[in-house]
Amino acid sequence: MTVEDNEAPFAGMESSSPTRLTLTSDDVAARKRTLLRNFLAQTLPECLSEGQIDFELLRRALGDWIEAGQERFGLSWPGKAQCMKIIQQPSVATLKPKRTDSVEFDATGNVFIEGDNLEVLKLLQKAYFGRVKLIYIDPPYNTGQEFIYPDKYAETLETYLAYTGQADAEGRRFSTNTDTVGRYHSNWLNMMYPRLYLARNLLRDDGVIFISIDDHELSRLRELCDQIFGEENFKADIAWQKRYTRSNNTVDFTTVVEHLLVYAKSEAFEVSLLPRTEEADARYTNPDNDPRGVWKGASFLNPASPQDRPNLCYPLKNPNTGGVVHPTTNAWRRSEEAFHELLADNRLYWGPDGKAAVPSIKMFLSEARGLTPINFWAHDYAGHTDEGTRDLDTLIPGKVFNNPKPVQLIRRVIDHACNGPGDIVLDFFAGSCATAQAVIEQNIEDGGSRRFIVVQLPEPTDETSNAAKAGFRTIAEIGKERIRRVIKKWQEQPAGMFDLERRKHTDLGFKVLSLDRSNFKLWNGNGAADADELAQQLELHMDHLSAASSAEDILYELLLKAGFPLTTNVKTIKLAGQEVFSVEDGAMLICLEKEITPELIDALAEANPLQVICLDEGFKGNDQLKANAVQTFRARAEAEESEIVFKTV
């Protein structure tokens, strides 16, 4: 958690009241304003006025004198300004655990979230800000026949709950976005923009996003990503050969490729290289019997002209013949100093007879790195659409999902972008959950410890579909069942292509959570129309816990909104005879008891946590007990020369 999130710890605090825990998701705009304000205070303090950013002064400091209303280059569409309002509106929802749908709930680092991905991305901001290594998504392609998210600017948790039948049936409905709709492209952009914007926040500095797309929205998605991620962070437009045969049913051209747009979070991203192949190594020879082994010659000529690179122009002398040449159409590739270093180290080859005017640079196989990836992925390298169908049908027969991506494609993405211990892979358009399967099987194969977070809307299956006939009411149910069957498959399969020892240490579990209303009745006094309504709000404020919420429901909401990941280690311990949740081996203690005693406060302080959260209801309106708790925690922090944050909710 940031200092802003923690507010003031008890060391040095003067207040006798605890801080109240914020029950909304992270305020993305406020976080970015704080970061920008701190940066400007160090670099351009003249752009701050009374501690706030003066954007007109900032523009002038940067030499930006563009007149208001002047045309500018960039992608724009109806609704773009409203997208920023949606982004900046914090979520008041929560994620509730579903143990019966999960596998190894308490031990796993993998997460499946059922819910609207916009709301979920907001909820993940505080706990996962800057923690995700790889995002892979396969969003709707906007072909005019696919399911699309609503473009209603009032889109809220209530919209989602109505859609899923958890609220009044009069709520808005999600639908298809046909090409006869006047806002056809705008609807799609309004859906994608806030989701990609929030997703970027979750990436690590060395993180990267891969987005599957076809030709329908490729150009607009490219411009959209240029705005969100920056043109300088564009890495590749990979053509994936999704089909290996032509179709004679098409009118014009047979489409055999789709695209993977690749954008890095920053220049810190480094693509993983491919293992060397026999074919690549066969190009190395040793015509001069160099004791360092086989090598391959690299040209000493620079693509740039002498006029472009005058610093790389000098007389080049052959040590064998004494002949001297000067650059004409091309400059030299290395500086004169580097030339003499290569010459002294016998790294220049002057041809079989030693009389070449311009040498080659010897590049030794023993020093060669792996192969760089290319931007064309053939079907035999990254799978194809038929293979994607077979992957799922092997686990769940009956073609219950249309056009799933092949697991091999996503494993190639993982190969190039996600190979560190504990790396997180996020897919918030999870579909049938091929990404989850790819992560599990890649870990089994190479012994990795990657973790996945997949998010899928419970989109209803068509009543006449194979999925519905097989008992799947929603796409989310298909995804969860696929993960369960992948896990069962590898638990039961004997040793074969994967090493048993690696499989034993692979995380074969996943934790299911679902999007829902907050467990707390949120204060809305500002909106009260009259005294009776205000009184009703005050009553809710005093008894603000939902009666239907379990202790575990409340626990996970507090974890998420306090900035802890959903897979955080939590244990139940006894303090002063009461149950307390110990988070990350006591770093945070959460007490949900509705009768807090002085003995319990003393025991909580004695445990010396970094943070304590209690229910406000537990103090029963006893302000003296609450003030004593503040003093107890402050005294303990001072005695231990530490900091304890005490919050109530």
Side-chain angles (χ1 to χ4, degrees):
M1 292 174 62
T2 64
V3 173
E4 186 177 357
D5 292 326
N6 281 337
E7 302 176 13
F10 281 107
M13 278 186 63
E14 298 301 326
S15 171
S16 61
S17 300
T19 305
R20 290 193 68 84
L21 180 69
T22 303
L23 289 173
T24 60
S25 63
D26 202 19
D27 189 329
V28 177
R31 179 195 285 266
K32 293 194 172 184
R33 283 196 303 271
T34 300
L35 291 173
L36 179 58
R37 188 165 56 243
N38 293 342
F39 173 76
L40 292 176
Q42 298 295 322
T43 56
L44 294 169
E46 67 271 23
C47 299
L48 298 180
S49 175
E50 295 184 334
Q52 301 301 313
I53 303 168
D54 187 319
F55 289 97
E56 286 302 315
L57 290 176
L58 176 59
R59 291 179 65 185
R60 293 172 188 170
L62 298 176
D64 184 1
W65 298 98
I66 297 175
E67 298 295 331
Q70 184 173 333
E71 293 181 353
R72 299 190 184 192
F73 175 80
L75 177 65
S76 187
W77 66 91
K80 183 178 181 181
Q82 294 290 342
C83 284
M84 289 306 299
K85 293 182 180 179
I86 291 173
I87 290 167
Q88 294 172 12
Q89 178 182 350
S91 173
V92 294
T94 188
L95 299 177
K96 292 189 175 182
K98 300 178 73 174
R99 282 184 173 270
T100 56
D101 284 4
S102 309
V103 176
E104 298 291 343
F105 184 93
D106 292 314
T108 186
N110 300 318
V111 177
F112 178 102
I113 302 173
E114 182 177 306
D116 169 31
N117 55 17
L118 178 61
E119 201 82 9
V120 171
L121 285 168
K122 289 181 180 182
L123 290 172
L124 297 181
Q125 292 295 304
K126 187 175 287 188
Y128 290 93
F129 192 95
R131 292 190 179 190
V132 175
K133 182 63 171 68
L134 166 65
I135 297 174
Y136 169 78
I137 55 172
D138 181 21
Y141 287 179
N142 206 25
T143 60
Q145 302 169 351
E146 292 181 280
F147 170 86
I148 199 80
Y149 287 70
D151 68 328
K152 302 294 184 183
Y153 300 133
E155 180 182 0
T156 62
L157 175 65
E158 293 305 318
T159 308
Y160 165 76
L161 293 174
Y163 166 72
T164 54
Q166 301 176 66
D168 194 313
E170 294 180 1
R172 293 184 180 88
R173 286 293 182 267
F174 294 40
S175 64
T176 54
N177 186 41
T178 64
D179 51 12
T180 58
V181 175
R183 296 167 56 88
Y184 177 58
H185 294 294
S186 296
N187 285 350
W188 189 83
L189 289 167
N190 287 332
M191 182 270 291
M192 290 297 294
Y193 185 82
R195 289 163 173 85
L196 289 176
Y197 188 98
L198 292 168
R200 182 187 179 276
N201 294 338
L202 302 180
L203 283 174
R204 294 174 3 188
D205 284 344
D206 63 346
V208 65
I209 185 170
F210 284 67
I211 308 173
S212 283
I213 198 70
D214 72 357
D215 293 334
H216 284 86
E217 296 290 359
L218 173 64
S219 60
R220 279 167 285 274
L221 180 61
R222 175 81 180 263
E223 288 192 64
L224 193 64
C225 288
D226 281 347
Q227 288 190 12
I228 294 172
F229 295 92
E231 289 182 71
E232 69 280 5
N233 290 317
F234 168 75
K235 292 300 177 183
D237 175 359
I238 299 170
W240 166 53
Q241 188 182 14
K242 67 174 184 176
R243 300 184 60 168
Y244 51 90
T245 58
R246 73 180 68 247
S247 170
N248 290 322
N249 296 325
T250 54
V251 177
D252 307 304
F253 293 86
T254 297
T255 300
V256 297
V257 298
E258 286 185 4
H259 304 265
L260 281 164
L261 284 186
V262 186
Y263 280 81
K265 173 73 172 288
S266 74
E267 61 183 11
F269 169 71
E270 293 185 5
V271 68
S272 298
L273 302 179
L274 295 168
R276 299 195 61 81
T277 64
E278 291 184 9
E279 179 184 1
D281 291 351
R283 299 169 189 166
Y284 289 75
T285 60
N286 194 359
D288 62 348
N289 295 315
D290 193 304
R292 287 167 289 194
V294 295
W295 53 269
K296 181 174 66 174
S299 175
F300 202 77
L301 296 176
N302 197 310
S305 68
Q307 292 76 26
D308 293 334
R309 299 300 301 271
N311 60 316
L312 296 178
C313 297
Y314 51 89
L316 191 66
K317 182 178 180 180
N318 184 324
N320 302 317
T321 65
V324 176
V325 293
H326 295 268
T328 54
T329 57
N330 299 88
W332 307 133
R333 188 174 291 275
R334 303 293 180 88
S335 68
E336 187 170 11
E337 180 183 0
F339 164 74
H340 287 294
E341 290 176 356
L342 291 169
L343 184 64
D345 197 27
N346 188 27
R347 287 180 178 259
L348 297 176
Y349 182 63
W350 300 89
D353 58 2
K355 297 179 180 180
V358 178
S360 297
I361 304 171
K362 294 197 287 188
M363 312 296 290
F364 291 96
L365 177 59
S366 59
E367 299 171 353
R369 63 176 192 160
L371 303 177
T372 56
I374 62 174
N375 64 351
F376 175 73
W377 289 5
H379 66 84
D380 57 349
Y381 174 72
H384 47 79
T385 52
D386 289 347
E387 187 176 309
T389 300
R390 287 199 301 268
D391 288 341
L392 180 56
D393 198 62
T394 299
L395 296 164
I396 307 176
K399 203 170 183 180
V400 296
F401 188 84
N402 293 328
N403 305 315
K405 287 294 184 288
V407 174
Q408 188 176 348
L409 171 68
I410 305 171
R411 288 185 61 181
R412 293 293 80 82
V413 170
I414 293 170
D415 275 342
H416 292 303
C418 187
N419 290 301
D423 281 352
I424 297 175
V425 180
L426 170 64
D427 181 352
F428 51 89
F429 287 99
S432 69
C433 289
T435 296
Q437 181 175 350
V439 170
I440 290 172
E441 294 187 348
Q442 191 73 7
N443 283 343
I444 291 174
E445 182 172 282
D446 64 16
S449 57
R450 305 168 192 85
R451 296 168 289 161
F452 64 76
I453 301 174
V454 293
V455 185
Q456 177 55 42
L457 187 81
E459 176 190 349
T461 55
D462 188 279
E463 293 180 0
T464 63
S465 67
N466 291 341
K469 292 174 183 176
F472 295 108
R473 295 173 301 166
T474 68
I475 300 299
E477 288 183 359
I478 296 172
K480 287 182 287 186
E481 184 60 22
R482 179 178 192 163
I483 302 173
R484 283 191 286 264
R485 295 193 186 191
V486 168
I487 290 170
K488 184 178 180 182
K489 164 188 163 185
W490 291 112
Q491 286 174 333
E492 296 178 350
Q493 184 167 322
M497 62 178 292
F498 293 139
D499 183 85
L500 276 176
E501 192 62 27
R502 287 177 180 171
R503 189 175 72 193
K504 185 169 65 175
H505 294 290
T506 298
D507 185 348
L508 293 176
F510 72 113
K511 179 178 294 188
V512 178
L513 300 104
S514 62
L515 182 68
D516 208 334
R517 291 186 180 89
S518 172
N519 297 288
F520 299 88
K521 303 166 190 173
L522 300 180
W523 167 255
N524 189 30
N526 292 335
D530 52 36
D532 289 341
E533 189 174 343
L534 180 60
Q536 188 177 25
Q537 284 288 331
L538 285 168
E539 185 177 347
L540 287 175
H541 188 58
M542 287 184 288
D543 184 15
H544 63 305
L545 266 177
S546 169
S549 299
S550 68
E552 192 165 58
D553 291 339
I554 300 167
L555 167 67
Y556 272 85
E557 178 164 3
L558 296 181
L559 283 176
L560 193 61
K561 292 175 179 177
F564 284 85
L566 295 165
T567 54
T568 297
N569 179 32
V570 180
K571 296 179 180 178
T572 303
I573 61 174
K574 286 278 189 179
L575 293 177
Q578 305 286 351
E579 283 195 352
V580 174
F581 292 107
S582 173
V583 181
E584 290 294 359
D585 297 321
M588 180 169 76
L589 298 178
I590 297 178
C591 177
L592 302 181
E593 293 292 336
K594 296 187 177 181
E595 289 196 20
I596 295 174
T597 63
E599 292 77 18
L600 180 56
I601 293 296
D602 290 340
L604 289 168
E606 189 69 25
N608 198 31
L610 298 176
Q611 188 172 176
V612 175
I613 298 177
C614 294
L615 293 178
D616 199 56
E617 180 183 346
F619 290 94
K620 302 294 185 184
N622 188 336
D623 291 338
Q624 181 61 47
L625 178 60
K626 194 181 296 184
N628 290 342
V630 172
Q631 296 297 335
T632 299
F633 288 123
R634 178 186 295 146
R636 180 67 184 183
E638 291 173 352
E640 296 291 332
E641 296 184 350
S642 61
E643 297 177 349
I644 301 177
V645 176
F646 175 37
K647 294 184 178 182
T648 60
V649 63

